[in-house]
Amino acid sequence: MSSVRALLIALMLMPYIVQGQPTNAPAAAPVFAVGYVETRAKEAEAGRTALARYAAALEQQRGCLAVALFAQTDRPGHFAVLETWLDQAAFDARDAAAKRQLMEALQPIRVSDYDERPYKPLTLAPAKGAGADARNASVVAHVDVAPNTQAPTLLQQLAEASRQDPGNLRFDVLQHAMRGNHFTVIEGWQDQDALDAHVATAHARAYRDALQPLTGSPLDERVYTAIRAEN
């Protein structure tokens, strides 16, 4: 991603990059789509290529702020996609041709359908670093809790503290657009050592201890490597 595009994204998101972002974000807030797809392991490279082309096509569309692609580090063929759009109108106006071409490319190699969920921001901060680096470690975590708990506050506190950890590049928390008790956490770290050090911090342990009684399933955290989109 160019420095000019990164600056534009930061300016667009600035009204929402605040401490304690309300869970009922305004209608004009940026919107996100988080997608997952799995291909046969031996076809992982073909999957990466198809997703990179999809990201490049989306980033040419009006209102698309960014598309981040991730490949799970320990499971070849497992991918995650994070789309960032200026607002709901821009998201709704996505050119369907790009998704259709992606699905056509994935059809002969996929072992799961493309699973996409809509999100709004809970707490965001400008990303640090120049872009995807093979040494970086990314985490995509799912947090599903009982309704009406203190989970949003716990996640906001975790994000604020984690952004100060050495080697942190990104720590954003998204809230499902329709199911307010479902969250996705997007983390970026300089390398695996920085991620490991973060996991061992007092604030990360305190967050897990406080969250555990609120969730009905084990915390779903997966480590990924970012994929560069085609130019």
Side-chain angles (χ1 to χ4, degrees):
M1 183 187 300
S2 71
S3 59
V4 174
R5 186 176 181 86
L7 176 60
L8 175 61
I9 293 171
L11 291 174
M12 292 288 190
L13 298 182
M14 191 57 68
Y16 312 99
I17 300 173
V18 295
Q19 303 296 339
Q21 172 71 22
T23 58
N24 56 338
V31 300
F32 301 83
V34 180
Y36 303 91
V37 69
E38 179 184 351
T39 70
R40 295 195 298 268
K42 66 180 182 179
E43 302 289 355
E45 190 58 36
R48 292 168 68 102
T49 299
L51 288 167
R53 289 175 178 166
Y54 173 67
L58 286 189
E59 289 188 335
Q60 299 303 311
Q61 296 183 24
R62 184 174 182 179
C64 182
L65 300 182
V67 181
L69 305 175
F70 304 95
Q72 195 167 341
T73 55
D74 57 349
R75 301 185 70 183
H78 289 239
F79 301 99
V81 180
L82 172 64
E83 302 177 22
T84 306
W85 293 84
L86 179 61
D87 53 28
Q88 188 65 46
F91 177 76
D92 292 341
R94 288 185 302 176
D95 183 357
K99 178 61 69 63
R100 183 170 61 252
Q101 291 168 2
L102 171 65
M103 297 312 299
E104 289 173 354
L106 292 176
Q107 180 58 32
I109 63 173
R110 68 176 178 85
V111 295
S112 77
D113 202 356
Y114 191 88
D115 181 5
E116 182 180 276
R117 312 289 177 89
Y119 284 85
K120 60 185 179 180
L122 181 72
T123 177
L124 308 175
K128 295 164 275 188
D133 185 308
R135 296 169 297 180
N136 297 162
S138 299
V139 176
V140 180
H142 304 281
V143 180
D144 298 340
V145 297
N148 304 316
T149 67
Q150 67 269 37
T153 298
L154 292 175
L155 286 163
Q156 290 165 349
Q157 292 172 343
L158 175 69
E160 180 180 355
S162 300
R163 290 168 188 148
Q164 309 307 313
D165 288 343
N168 178 256
L169 304 177
R170 175 180 191 168
F171 208 104
D172 294 335
V173 183
L174 310 179
Q175 184 176 33
H176 196 283
M178 293 170 287
R179 294 184 293 174
N181 59 321
H182 290 246
F183 305 87
T184 291
V185 182
I186 311 293
E187 306 175 31
W189 299 92
Q190 189 172 11
D191 51 33
Q192 185 64 45
D193 288 343
L195 171 58
D196 292 341
H198 156 72
V199 171
T201 60
H203 55 263
R205 295 198 308 271
Y207 158 76
R208 291 167 184 265
D209 288 347
L211 184 72
Q212 194 277 333
L214 309 179
T215 181
S217 60
L219 187 62
D220 183 2
E221 292 183 335
R222 304 181 187 186
V223 180
Y224 291 82
T225 300
I227 304 173
R228 289 185 182 271
E230 295 186 345
N231 295 320

Coordinates of all heavy atoms in Angstrom, one line a residue, residues 54-116:
Y54 N -8.5 -10.4 -6.7 CA -9.7 -9.8 -6.2 C -9.5 -8.5 -5.4 O -10.2 -7.5 -5.6 CB -10.3 -10.9 -5.3 CG -11.6 -10.4 -4.5 CD1 -12.7 -10.1 -5.1 CD2 -11.5 -10.4 -3.1 CE1 -13.9 -9.7 -4.4 CE2 -12.7 -10.0 -2.4 CZ -13.8 -9.7 -3.0 OH -14.9 -9.3 -2.3
A55 N -8.5 -8.5 -4.5 CA -8.1 -7.3 -3.8 C -7.8 -6.2 -4.7 O -8.2 -5.0 -4.4 CB -7.0 -7.6 -2.8
A56 N -7.0 -6.5 -5.7 CA -6.6 -5.4 -6.6 C -7.8 -4.8 -7.3 O -7.8 -3.6 -7.5 CB -5.5 -5.9 -7.6
A57 N -8.7 -5.7 -7.7 CA -9.9 -5.2 -8.4 C -10.8 -4.3 -7.5 O -11.3 -3.3 -7.8 CB -10.7 -6.3 -8.9
L58 N -10.9 -4.7 -6.2 CA -11.7 -4.0 -5.3 C -11.1 -2.6 -5.0 O -11.8 -1.6 -4.9 CB -11.9 -4.7 -3.9 CG -12.8 -6.0 -3.9 CD1 -13.0 -6.4 -2.5 CD2 -14.2 -5.7 -4.5
E59 N -9.8 -2.6 -4.9 CA -9.2 -1.3 -4.5 C -9.2 -0.3 -5.6 O -8.9 0.9 -5.3 CB -7.7 -1.6 -4.1 CG -7.6 -2.3 -2.7 CD -6.2 -2.4 -2.2 OE1 -5.3 -2.4 -3.0 OE2 -6.1 -2.5 -1.0
Q60 N -9.7 -0.7 -6.8 CA -9.9 0.3 -7.8 C -11.3 0.9 -7.8 O -11.6 1.9 -8.5 CB -9.7 -0.4 -9.2 CG -8.3 -0.9 -9.4 CD -7.3 0.2 -9.3 OE1 -7.4 1.2 -9.8 NE2 -6.2 -0.2 -8.5
Q61 N -12.2 0.3 -6.9 CA -13.6 0.8 -6.8 C -13.7 2.0 -5.9 O -13.0 2.1 -4.9 CB -14.5 -0.4 -6.4 CG -14.5 -1.6 -7.4 CD -15.4 -2.7 -7.0 OE1 -16.4 -2.4 -6.3 NE2 -15.1 -3.9 -7.5
R62 N -14.6 2.8 -6.2 CA -14.9 4.0 -5.4 C -15.4 3.6 -4.0 O -16.3 2.8 -3.9 CB -16.0 4.8 -6.1 CG -16.3 6.2 -5.4 CD -17.2 7.0 -6.3 NE -17.4 8.3 -5.7 CZ -18.2 9.2 -6.2 NH1 -18.8 9.0 -7.4 NH2 -18.4 10.4 -5.6
G63 N -14.8 4.2 -3.0 CA -15.2 4.0 -1.7 C -14.5 2.8 -1.0 O -14.7 2.6 0.2
C64 N -13.6 2.1 -1.7 CA -12.9 1.0 -1.1 C -11.6 1.6 -0.5 O -10.8 2.2 -1.2 CB -12.5 -0.1 -2.1 SG -11.6 -1.4 -1.4
L65 N -11.4 1.5 0.8 CA -10.3 2.1 1.5 C -9.1 1.2 1.5 O -7.9 1.6 1.4 CB -10.6 2.6 2.9 CG -11.7 3.6 3.0 CD1 -12.0 4.0 4.5 CD2 -11.4 4.8 2.2
A66 N -9.3 -0.1 1.6 CA -8.3 -1.1 1.7 C -8.8 -2.5 1.7 O -10.0 -2.7 2.0 CB -7.4 -0.9 3.0
V67 N -8.0 -3.4 1.2 CA -8.3 -4.9 1.3 C -7.0 -5.6 1.8 O -6.0 -5.5 1.1 CB -8.7 -5.5 -0.1 CG1 -9.0 -6.9 0.1 CG2 -9.9 -4.7 -0.7
A68 N -7.1 -6.2 2.9 CA -6.0 -6.9 3.5 C -6.2 -8.4 3.3 O -7.3 -8.9 3.6 CB -5.8 -6.6 5.0
L69 N -5.2 -9.1 2.9 CA -5.3 -10.6 2.7 C -4.4 -11.3 3.6 O -3.2 -10.8 3.9 CB -4.9 -10.9 1.2 CG -5.7 -10.2 0.1 CD1 -5.1 -10.6 -1.2 CD2 -7.2 -10.5 0.2
F70 N -4.8 -12.4 4.2 CA -4.0 -13.2 5.1 C -4.1 -14.7 4.8 O -5.1 -15.2 4.4 CB -4.6 -13.0 6.5 CG -4.7 -11.5 7.0 CD1 -5.8 -10.9 6.8 CD2 -3.6 -10.9 7.5 CE1 -6.0 -9.5 7.3 CE2 -3.6 -9.6 7.9 CZ -4.8 -8.9 7.8
A71 N -2.9 -15.3 4.9 CA -2.8 -16.8 4.7 C -2.4 -17.4 6.1 O -1.4 -16.9 6.7 CB -1.7 -17.1 3.7
Q72 N -3.2 -18.3 6.6 CA -2.9 -18.9 7.9 C -1.5 -19.6 7.8 O -1.2 -20.4 6.9 CB -4.0 -19.9 8.3 CG -4.0 -20.3 9.7 CD -5.2 -21.0 10.2 OE1 -6.2 -20.9 9.5 NE2 -5.1 -21.7 11.3
T73 N -0.7 -19.3 8.8 CA 0.7 -19.8 8.8 C 0.9 -21.3 8.9 O 1.8 -21.8 8.3 CB 1.5 -19.1 9.9 OG1 0.9 -19.3 11.1 CG2 1.6 -17.6 9.7
D74 N 0.1 -21.9 9.6 CA 0.3 -23.4 9.8 C -0.7 -24.2 9.1 O -0.8 -25.5 9.3 CB 0.2 -23.7 11.3 CG -1.1 -23.2 12.0 OD1 -1.8 -22.5 11.3 OD2 -1.3 -23.6 13.1
R75 N -1.6 -23.6 8.2 CA -2.6 -24.4 7.5 C -2.7 -23.9 6.1 O -3.4 -23.0 5.8 CB -3.9 -24.3 8.2 CG -3.9 -24.8 9.6 CD -5.3 -24.8 10.2 NE -6.2 -25.9 9.6 CZ -7.5 -26.0 9.9 NH1 -8.1 -25.2 10.8 NH2 -8.2 -27.0 9.4
P76 N -1.9 -24.5 5.2 CA -1.9 -24.0 3.8 C -3.3 -24.1 3.2 O -4.0 -25.1 3.4 CB -0.9 -25.0 3.1 CG 0.0 -25.5 4.2 CD -0.9 -25.5 5.4
G77 N -3.7 -23.0 2.5 CA -5.0 -23.0 1.8 C -6.0 -22.4 2.7 O -7.2 -22.2 2.2
H78 N -5.7 -21.9 3.9 CA -6.7 -21.2 4.7 C -6.4 -19.7 4.6 O -5.3 -19.3 5.0 CB -6.6 -21.7 6.2 CG -7.1 -23.1 6.4 ND1 -8.2 -23.4 7.3 CD2 -6.8 -24.3 5.8 CE1 -8.4 -24.7 7.2 NE2 -7.6 -25.2 6.4
F79 N -7.5 -19.0 4.2 CA -7.3 -17.5 4.0 C -8.3 -16.7 4.7 O -9.4 -17.2 5.0 CB -7.4 -17.3 2.5 CG -6.4 -18.0 1.6 CD1 -6.7 -19.2 1.0 CD2 -5.1 -17.5 1.5 CE1 -5.8 -19.9 0.2 CE2 -4.1 -18.2 0.7 CZ -4.5 -19.4 0.1
A80 N -8.0 -15.5 5.0 CA -8.9 -14.5 5.5 C -8.7 -13.2 4.7 O -7.7 -12.9 4.3 CB -8.6 -14.2 7.0
V81 N -9.9 -12.5 4.6 CA -9.9 -11.3 3.8 C -10.6 -10.2 4.6 O -11.7 -10.4 5.2 CB -10.7 -11.5 2.5 CG1 -10.7 -10.2 1.7 CG2 -10.1 -12.6 1.6
L82 N -9.9 -9.0 4.7 CA -10.5 -7.9 5.4 C -10.7 -6.7 4.5 O -9.7 -6.2 4.0 CB -9.6 -7.5 6.6 CG -10.0 -6.2 7.3 CD1 -11.4 -6.4 8.0 CD2 -9.0 -5.8 8.3
E83 N -12.0 -6.4 4.2 CA -12.3 -5.3 3.3 C -12.7 -4.1 4.2 O -13.5 -4.2 5.1 CB -13.4 -5.6 2.4 CG -13.1 -6.8 1.5 CD -14.3 -7.1 0.6 OE1 -15.2 -6.2 0.4 OE2 -14.4 -8.3 0.1
T84 N -12.2 -2.9 3.8 CA -12.6 -1.7 4.5 C -13.2 -0.7 3.5 O -12.5 -0.4 2.5 CB -11.3 -1.0 5.2 OG1 -10.7 -1.9 6.0 CG2 -11.8 0.2 6.0
W85 N -14.4 -0.3 3.8 CA -15.2 0.6 2.9 C -15.5 1.9 3.6 O -15.7 1.9 4.8 CB -16.4 -0.1 2.4 CG -16.1 -1.3 1.5 CD1 -15.8 -2.6 1.9 CD2 -16.0 -1.3 0.1 NE1 -15.5 -3.4 0.9 CE2 -15.6 -2.6 -0.3 CE3 -16.2 -0.3 -0.9 CZ2 -15.4 -3.0 -1.6 CZ3 -16.0 -0.7 -2.2 CH2 -15.6 -2.0 -2.6
L86 N -15.6 2.9 2.8 CA -15.9 4.3 3.3 C -17.2 4.3 4.2 O -17.2 4.9 5.2 CB -15.9 5.3 2.2 CG -16.2 6.7 2.6 CD1 -15.1 7.3 3.5 CD2 -16.4 7.6 1.3
D87 N -18.2 3.7 3.6 CA -19.5 3.7 4.3 C -20.4 2.6 3.8 O -19.9 1.9 2.9 CB -20.2 5.1 4.2 CG -20.3 5.6 2.8 OD1 -20.4 4.7 1.9 OD2 -20.4 6.8 2.5
Q88 N -21.6 2.5 4.3 CA -22.5 1.4 3.9 C -22.8 1.5 2.4 O -23.0 0.5 1.7 CB -23.7 1.4 4.7 CG -24.6 0.2 4.5 CD -23.9 -1.1 4.9 OE1 -23.3 -1.2 6.0 NE2 -24.0 -2.2 4.1
A89 N -23.0 2.8 1.9 CA -23.4 3.0 0.5 C -22.3 2.5 -0.4 O -22.6 1.8 -1.4 CB -23.7 4.5 0.3
A90 N -21.0 2.8 -0.1 CA -19.9 2.3 -0.9 C -19.9 0.8 -0.9 O -19.6 0.1 -1.9 CB -18.6 2.9 -0.4
F91 N -20.1 0.2 0.3 CA -20.0 -1.3 0.4 C -21.1 -1.9 -0.4 O -20.9 -2.9 -1.2 CB -20.2 -1.7 1.9 CG -20.2 -3.2 2.1 CD1 -19.1 -3.9 2.0 CD2 -21.4 -3.8 2.4 CE1 -19.2 -5.3 2.2 CE2 -21.5 -5.2 2.6 CZ -20.4 -5.9 2.5
D92 N -22.3 -1.3 -0.3 CA -23.5 -1.9 -1.1 C -23.3 -1.7 -2.6 O -23.9 -2.5 -3.4 CB -24.8 -1.2 -0.7 CG -25.2 -1.5 0.8 OD1 -24.7 -2.5 1.3 OD2 -25.9 -0.8 1.4
A93 N -22.5 -0.8 -3.0 CA -22.3 -0.5 -4.4 C -21.1 -1.3 -5.0 O -20.8 -1.0 -6.2 CB -22.1 1.0 -4.7
R94 N -20.6 -2.2 -4.3 CA -19.5 -3.0 -4.8 C -19.8 -3.6 -6.1 O -20.9 -4.1 -6.3 CB -19.1 -4.1 -3.8 CG -18.4 -3.7 -2.6 CD -18.0 -5.0 -1.8 NE -19.1 -5.8 -1.4 CZ -19.0 -7.0 -0.8 NH1 -17.8 -7.4 -0.4 NH2 -20.1 -7.7 -0.5
D95 N -18.9 -3.6 -7.1 CA -19.1 -4.2 -8.4 C -19.1 -5.7 -8.2 O -18.1 -6.3 -7.7 CB -18.0 -3.8 -9.3 CG -18.2 -4.4 -10.7 OD1 -19.1 -5.1 -10.9 OD2 -17.4 -4.0 -11.6
A96 N -20.2 -6.4 -8.5 CA -20.3 -7.8 -8.2 C -19.4 -8.6 -9.1 O -19.1 -9.8 -8.9 CB -21.8 -8.2 -8.5
A97 N -18.9 -8.0 -10.2 CA -18.0 -8.8 -11.1 C -16.8 -9.3 -10.4 O -16.3 -10.4 -10.7 CB -17.7 -7.9 -12.3
A98 N -16.2 -8.5 -9.5 CA -15.0 -8.9 -8.9 C -15.2 -10.1 -8.0 O -14.4 -11.1 -8.1 CB -14.4 -7.8 -8.0
K99 N -16.3 -10.2 -7.3 CA -16.6 -11.4 -6.5 C -16.9 -12.6 -7.4 O -16.5 -13.7 -7.1 CB -17.7 -11.1 -5.5 CG -18.2 -12.2 -4.6 CD -17.1 -12.7 -3.7 CE -16.8 -11.7 -2.6 NZ -17.8 -11.4 -1.7
R100 N -17.6 -12.3 -8.4 CA -18.0 -13.4 -9.3 C -16.7 -14.0 -9.9 O -16.6 -15.3 -10.0 CB -18.9 -12.9 -10.5 CG -19.4 -14.0 -11.4 CD -20.4 -13.5 -12.3 NE -20.0 -12.4 -13.2 CZ -20.4 -11.2 -13.0 NH1 -21.2 -10.8 -12.1 NH2 -19.9 -10.2 -13.9
Q101 N -15.8 -13.2 -10.3 CA -14.5 -13.7 -10.9 C -13.7 -14.5 -9.9 O -13.1 -15.5 -10.2 CB -13.7 -12.5 -11.5 CG -14.3 -11.9 -12.7 CD -13.7 -10.6 -13.1 OE1 -12.7 -10.1 -12.5 NE2 -14.2 -10.0 -14.2
L102 N -13.7 -14.0 -8.6 CA -13.0 -14.7 -7.6 C -13.6 -16.1 -7.4 O -12.9 -17.1 -7.3 CB -13.1 -13.9 -6.3 CG -12.6 -14.6 -5.0 CD1 -11.1 -14.9 -5.1 CD2 -13.0 -13.8 -3.7
M103 N -14.9 -16.2 -7.3 CA -15.6 -17.4 -7.1 C -15.4 -18.4 -8.2 O -15.2 -19.6 -8.0 CB -17.1 -17.2 -6.8 CG -17.4 -16.4 -5.5 SD -16.4 -17.0 -4.1 CE -17.0 -18.7 -3.9
E104 N -15.3 -17.9 -9.4 CA -15.0 -18.7 -10.6 C -13.6 -19.3 -10.5 O -13.4 -20.5 -10.8 CB -15.2 -17.9 -11.9 CG -16.7 -17.6 -12.2 CD -16.8 -16.7 -13.4 OE1 -15.8 -16.2 -13.9 OE2 -18.0 -16.4 -13.8
A105 N -12.7 -18.5 -10.0 CA -11.3 -19.0 -9.9 C -11.1 -20.0 -8.8 O -10.4 -20.9 -8.8 CB -10.4 -17.8 -9.7
L106 N -11.9 -19.8 -7.7 CA -11.8 -20.7 -6.5 C -12.6 -22.0 -6.7 O -12.3 -23.0 -6.0 CB -12.3 -19.9 -5.3 CG -11.5 -18.8 -4.8 CD1 -12.2 -18.1 -3.6 CD2 -10.1 -19.2 -4.4
Q107 N -13.6 -21.9 -7.5 CA -14.5 -23.1 -7.6 C -13.8 -24.4 -7.8 O -14.2 -25.4 -7.0 CB -15.5 -22.9 -8.8 CG -16.5 -24.0 -8.9 CD -17.4 -24.2 -7.7 OE1 -17.7 -23.3 -6.9 NE2 -17.8 -25.5 -7.5
P108 N -12.8 -24.6 -8.7 CA -12.2 -25.9 -8.8 C -11.2 -26.3 -7.7 O -10.8 -27.4 -7.7 CB -11.5 -25.8 -10.2 CG -11.2 -24.4 -10.4 CD -12.4 -23.6 -9.7
I109 N -10.9 -25.4 -6.9 CA -9.8 -25.7 -5.9 C -10.3 -25.5 -4.4 O -9.6 -25.9 -3.5 CB -8.6 -24.8 -6.1 CG1 -8.9 -23.3 -5.9 CG2 -8.0 -25.0 -7.5 CD1 -7.7 -22.4 -5.9
R110 N -11.5 -25.0 -4.2 CA -11.9 -24.7 -2.8 C -12.5 -25.9 -2.2 O -13.0 -26.8 -2.8 CB -13.0 -23.6 -2.8 CG -14.3 -24.0 -3.4 CD -15.3 -22.9 -3.3 NE -16.6 -23.2 -3.9 CZ -17.6 -23.9 -3.3 NH1 -17.4 -24.3 -2.1 NH2 -18.7 -24.2 -4.0
V111 N -12.4 -25.9 -0.8 CA -13.0 -27.0 0.0 C -14.0 -26.4 0.9 O -14.6 -27.2 1.7 CB -11.9 -27.8 0.7 CG1 -11.1 -28.6 -0.3 CG2 -11.1 -27.0 1.7
S112 N -14.2 -25.1 0.9 CA -15.2 -24.4 1.7 C -15.8 -23.3 0.8 O -15.1 -22.8 -0.1 CB -14.7 -23.9 3.0 OG -13.9 -22.7 2.8
D113 N -17.0 -22.9 1.1 CA -17.5 -21.7 0.5 C -16.9 -20.5 1.0 O -16.2 -20.5 2.0 CB -19.0 -21.7 0.7 CG -19.8 -20.9 -0.4 OD1 -19.1 -20.3 -1.3 OD2 -21.0 -20.8 -0.4
Y114 N -17.1 -19.3 0.3 CA -16.6 -18.1 0.8 C -17.5 -17.5 1.9 O -18.7 -17.2 1.6 CB -16.4 -17.1 -0.4 CG -15.7 -15.8 0.0 CD1 -14.3 -15.8 -0.2 CD2 -16.3 -14.7 0.4 CE1 -13.6 -14.6 0.1 CE2 -15.6 -13.5 0.8 CZ -14.2 -13.5 0.6 OH -13.5 -12.4 0.9
D115 N -17.1 -17.4 3.1 CA -17.9 -17.0 4.3 C -17.6 -15.6 4.6 O -16.5 -15.3 5.0 CB -17.6 -17.9 5.4 CG -18.5 -17.6 6.7 OD1 -19.3 -16.7 6.6 OD2 -18.2 -18.2 7.7
E116 N -18.5 -14.7 4.4 CA -18.3 -13.2 4.6 C -19.2 -12.7 5.6 O -20.4 -12.9 5.6 CB -18.4 -12.5 3.3 CG -18.2 -11.0 3.4 CD -18.3 -10.3 2.1 OE1 -17.3 -10.3 1.3 OE2 -19.4 -9.7 1.8

